[in-house]
Amino acid sequence: MGMGKLRIGGAWSGVLEVELDEWTVATLREEVAKKSGLVGPQCINLISAGRILRDGDGTEKLSQLGVKNNAKILASKVSTDQEGKSLKEEFLAEEERSKRLSRLKAAATSLASRHADGSLPVEDFNLELENQSGEKVQLGAETDQRAVMMGLMLHANAKALIKRQQHKDALEVLTMGEEAFSLCDPKVIEMVDNVSILQIDMVWCYFMLHDISWLSVAGIRLAKAREGIERAHGKESSRMRVLQGGRYPELALYLRLQLLEGVIAYHNGQLQKSKESLTAAHAKYTQLQVPDETLSLLMSMGYKARDAKRALRMSNQDVGSAVDFLVEEKAKKERKREEDRRRQEEILEQKKYGMTSLRKPVDLQKLNELVSIGFEKELAAEALRRNENDTQKALDDLTNPETNSVMQIDIESRKKKRLRRATSAASEELVSMGFPRAIVDEALRRFGTQEQALNHLLGQPNANAAVAGANPSVPSLNISGLDAGLGLEMSLEEDGGGPSTREEVKDRDAEMEDELTGELLKGDAYSDYDIDVTLEGEAINEYLAKLAG
């Protein structure tokens, strides 16, 4: 590129002859400051094409930053106080951002570790990997499972940031997601497209940040993404078409891929290749435009606009296929709700039995096998818990009179301990309502449960007055939250070895974990392909116009 001329305006107006391949931002700033007569270069901000030119590591040349011959540069004055304040604010914001990203990575690591090893979840949900049909899948070893979970959680968070136009933050999170996926055995995930989609999303962020330095690495990422997608989807999406029953869910994803390939080719001077990619992307963009009449027809059937538009796009605008898709998706969601409900019941049951010394829950399938041959369920669960779910060792303990007796004594001991804790908690709750402790303890002994004891106490003379006087602002008593199940869960986990649930909850970064899992709850099997292609359409037209100009 060599010598060039820059038209400067603002703090100093004129034309500068510069060596674009040699000058850095600092060099240009010093020259403009000298021409303007200001104290020093620290008082100058340089703006080109709507963005501030920054020093970076000090080695990037103007040509590498996209500054071309005859470019217009705005030089604005900045007072040293203002600049100092601005730099301080920028530093603090960057520090806060860095802390947040560290917390996010730590939360993803913690969540994946807890949910990949088969331990009982400390939350009210359980993370499991599913395929697009909603079936549970086990990918490789525990380390592979953990790596994939981390990658998927971070990718989901990054996609939410992209939707909010926070591309810089999204790129950081995508980089962490890429690192997580890299910890997984490549053979385990080579037939899924998640890593390839993450690569495309990274290049999309480069593009939206208008960073000229991304070109070389972006080309490598897109080549890997295309190779991975073709391996997962089959040549010309043949495998995808069979799996999806002739539908086209991946169309928007390929549109974004071809757009980015066209942009890279354009900036590398490969104009013919650029035109081919952009023309193919434009054809897909046209294919994805939903006619108003078709959309209205589906909406008249009671479907929401967003769902109807999505179904039509994925069905190549075929109304019958779109309706089938919507019906199938509704049925799939109902099956998932039922499966989630069943799994929640299983988790609650597992928590009743406590954990093994290696902090694994009792295997319900093995438990049911022991129950089917005649063993009492709670006793069989205790045998499995003591023997790390080894069925044969559990059988040995169950059929040995001595160990069988010891297990029964331990079970009864824990039951009494839980009962004492529950009674103590109920006593404290009733006393806090204003009832005398002696009367409360007697009522609990006579009636056994807190609800029956409360009904008895409320029937006593002056009892209602005592309650009202103790807490006049509470119009009614909610006893549904006084379930002794929490004490049961805590006791069993403590007796079962390993740290208690209470300790684990205390160590959690609940805010970050909620942010990560919240994004997963919003998504479904088609979230990666459900792209609003408005920005892509604008970019396609912009670059096709450049090629035609």
Side-chain angles (χ1 to χ4, degrees):
M1 192 173 288
M3 295 295 294
K5 293 182 179 181
L6 299 180
R7 287 177 284 172
I8 313 295
W12 175 78
S13 296
V15 176
L16 274 182
E17 287 196 3
V18 303
E19 293 187 30
L20 295 171
D21 293 331
E22 296 294 331
W23 282 36
T24 63
V25 174
T27 312
L28 179 59
R29 188 185 293 110
E30 285 176 12
E31 190 63 26
V32 172
K34 198 183 298 179
K35 297 277 188 184
S36 67
L38 293 172
V39 176
Q42 71 274 13
C43 299
I44 292 289
N45 264 346
L46 300 174
I47 301 171
S48 173
R51 64 189 180 97
I52 296 176
L53 296 177
R54 302 192 183 279
D55 293 347
D57 60 7
T59 64
E60 291 177 313
K61 312 306 180 188
L62 294 177
S63 59
Q64 292 175 303
L65 296 171
V67 179
K68 298 179 180 178
N69 185 33
N70 286 322
K72 293 180 181 178
I73 305 288
L74 175 64
S76 63
K77 296 179 183 180
V78 181
S79 71
T80 51
D81 288 344
Q82 181 184 344
E83 186 184 61
K85 183 180 178 182
S86 173
L87 286 172
K88 184 179 179 182
E89 288 174 350
E90 189 175 324
F91 174 77
L92 290 173
E94 186 63 29
E95 189 177 31
E96 182 62 32
R97 182 170 160 272
S98 179
K99 284 180 183 176
R100 186 184 176 282
L101 289 170
S102 296
R103 286 176 59 202
L104 192 70
K105 184 176 182 180
T109 304
S110 179
L111 271 170
S113 297
R114 292 204 303 270
H115 288 266
D117 67 356
S119 298
L120 284 170
V122 299
E123 312 89 347
D124 59 354
F125 58 83
N126 194 39
L127 291 176
E128 294 175 313
L129 297 177
E130 296 180 352
N131 61 20
Q132 286 190 339
S133 300
E135 299 164 342
K136 302 289 184 291
V137 292
Q138 180 74 34
L139 292 178
E142 183 184 312
T143 52
D144 297 320
Q145 194 91 341
R146 186 184 304 136
V148 173
M149 280 186 176
M150 272 189 70
L152 292 175
M153 280 188 281
L154 291 166
H155 193 183
N157 184 267
K159 284 187 286 188
L161 291 169
I162 290 172
K163 285 182 181 177
R164 297 199 293 267
Q165 303 293 307
Q166 295 173 247
H167 296 101
K168 185 179 179 183
D169 286 350
L171 193 52
E172 294 275 9
V173 179
L174 286 167
T175 302
M176 292 192 296
E178 181 183 41
E179 181 186 339
F181 279 129
S182 73
L183 301 175
C184 184
D185 182 348
K187 292 180 180 178
V188 170
I189 53 174
E190 66 180 6
M191 291 309 292
V192 296
D193 59 11
N194 302 86
V195 179
S196 299
I197 295 171
L198 181 140
Q199 296 277 0
I200 294 170
D201 286 343
M202 290 183 85
V203 179
W204 177 251
C205 287
Y206 296 152
F207 176 67
M208 294 303 292
L209 288 168
H210 307 294
D211 186 351
I212 203 73
S213 65
W214 58 269
L215 280 175
S216 58
V217 69
I220 296 169
R221 288 194 185 284
L222 289 186
K224 287 181 179 177
R226 179 169 282 283
E227 181 186 345
I229 282 181
E230 288 183 354
R231 184 170 56 244
H233 293 184
K235 197 69 176 173
E236 297 181 355
S237 298
S238 55
R239 183 167 175 263
M240 170 72 84
R241 206 66 60 242
V242 171
L243 291 172
Q244 296 298 326
R247 296 196 182 97
Y248 297 78
E250 80 288 1
L251 209 57
L253 180 67
Y254 277 83
L255 182 157
R256 180 177 280 185
L257 173 60
Q258 289 174 329
L259 159 64
L260 294 171
E261 288 173 332
V263 170
I264 289 170
Y266 175 83
H267 285 290
N268 284 329
Q270 300 169 310
L271 301 187
Q272 183 57 37
K273 182 180 177 182
S274 175
K275 185 176 181 180
E276 289 171 2
S277 295
L278 291 167
T279 302
H282 188 269
K284 289 179 176 61
Y285 177 77
T286 304
Q287 196 176 343
L288 286 167
Q289 301 312 299
V290 176
D292 291 341
E293 317 82 66
T294 315
L295 180 62
S296 298
L297 178 60
L298 283 185
M299 289 177 67
S300 69
M301 298 179 190
Y303 296 111
K304 293 178 181 176
R306 185 184 179 283
D307 295 337
K309 190 177 290 187
R310 180 196 214 195
L312 287 164
R313 281 176 169 174
M314 294 192 177
S315 304
N316 203 21
Q317 315 299 340
D318 183 284
V319 175
S321 179
V323 171
D324 289 343
F325 175 83
L326 289 164
V327 171
E328 288 167 16
E329 283 300 288
K330 184 180 179 182
K332 196 184 292 182
K333 285 177 182 176
E334 288 174 356
R335 284 197 305 273
K336 180 167 174 49
R337 274 195 295 269
E338 179 58 28
E339 173 65 21
D340 288 346
R341 184 195 61 75
R342 187 190 62 77
R343 180 63 184 128
Q344 281 292 80
E345 289 176 354
E346 286 181 352
I347 290 170
L348 287 173
E349 182 180 359
Q350 286 176 308
K351 285 186 175 183
K352 283 197 309 183
Y353 304 131
M355 294 187 290
T356 71
S357 58
L358 295 180
R359 299 193 62 257
K360 295 295 188 287
V362 169
D363 187 312
L364 293 183
Q365 184 177 345
K366 292 179 179 179
L367 174 61
N368 290 331
E369 288 171 3
L370 290 175
V371 171
S372 69
I373 58 177
F375 292 106
E376 191 270 323
K377 196 168 194 177
E378 196 169 6
L379 189 61
E382 176 63 9
L384 285 168
R385 187 189 71 77
R386 285 170 173 248
N387 291 287
E388 292 295 340
N389 288 309
D390 186 312
T391 304
Q392 187 55 54
K393 289 181 179 178
L395 267 171
D396 291 343
D397 279 355
L398 288 165
T399 54
N400 182 316
E402 187 177 335
T403 53
N404 187 302
S405 176
V406 170
M407 288 192 296
Q408 291 193 52
I409 291 169
D410 285 350
I411 290 170
E412 287 304 312
S413 174
R414 284 203 299 271
K415 281 182 178 178
K416 288 175 181 176
K417 189 189 295 185
R418 291 197 298 273
L419 181 60
R420 283 197 302 271
R421 288 182 180 179
T423 302
S424 177
S427 176
E428 292 302 322
E429 186 71 26
L430 293 173
V431 168
S432 71
M433 296 176 188
F435 299 110
R437 186 176 296 276
I439 296 175
V440 165
D441 290 344
E442 176 60 28
L444 285 169
R445 272 194 295 273
R446 280 183 61 191
F447 296 98
T449 69
Q450 182 176 329
E451 185 175 2
Q452 290 175 333
L454 178 60
N455 289 337
H456 169 72
L457 291 168
L458 288 173
Q460 298 299 305
N462 299 322
N464 289 325
V467 174
N471 194 355
S473 64
V474 181
S476 62
L477 297 171
N478 176 18
I479 61 172
S480 62
L482 307 178
D483 189 350
L486 181 61
L488 171 69
E489 174 191 328
M490 297 295 297
S491 172
L492 280 174
E493 295 214 354
E494 288 168 353
D495 290 338
S500 69
T501 302
R502 190 188 305 278
E503 289 167 349
E504 286 198 48
V505 170
K506 185 175 69 174
D507 292 338
R508 288 173 57 206
D509 187 341
E511 181 186 354
M512 278 299 158
E513 289 187 6
D514 288 346
E515 183 174 323
L516 283 165
T517 53
E519 295 304 333
L520 290 176
L521 289 170
K522 294 176 190 173
D524 60 25
Y526 295 100
S527 295
D528 281 334
Y529 312 118
D530 189 16
I531 302 171
D532 178 4
V533 294
T534 304
L535 292 174
E536 284 83 351
E538 292 171 2
I540 290 167
N541 290 330
E542 177 190 342
Y543 275 86
L544 283 174
K546 286 180 179 181
L547 286 167

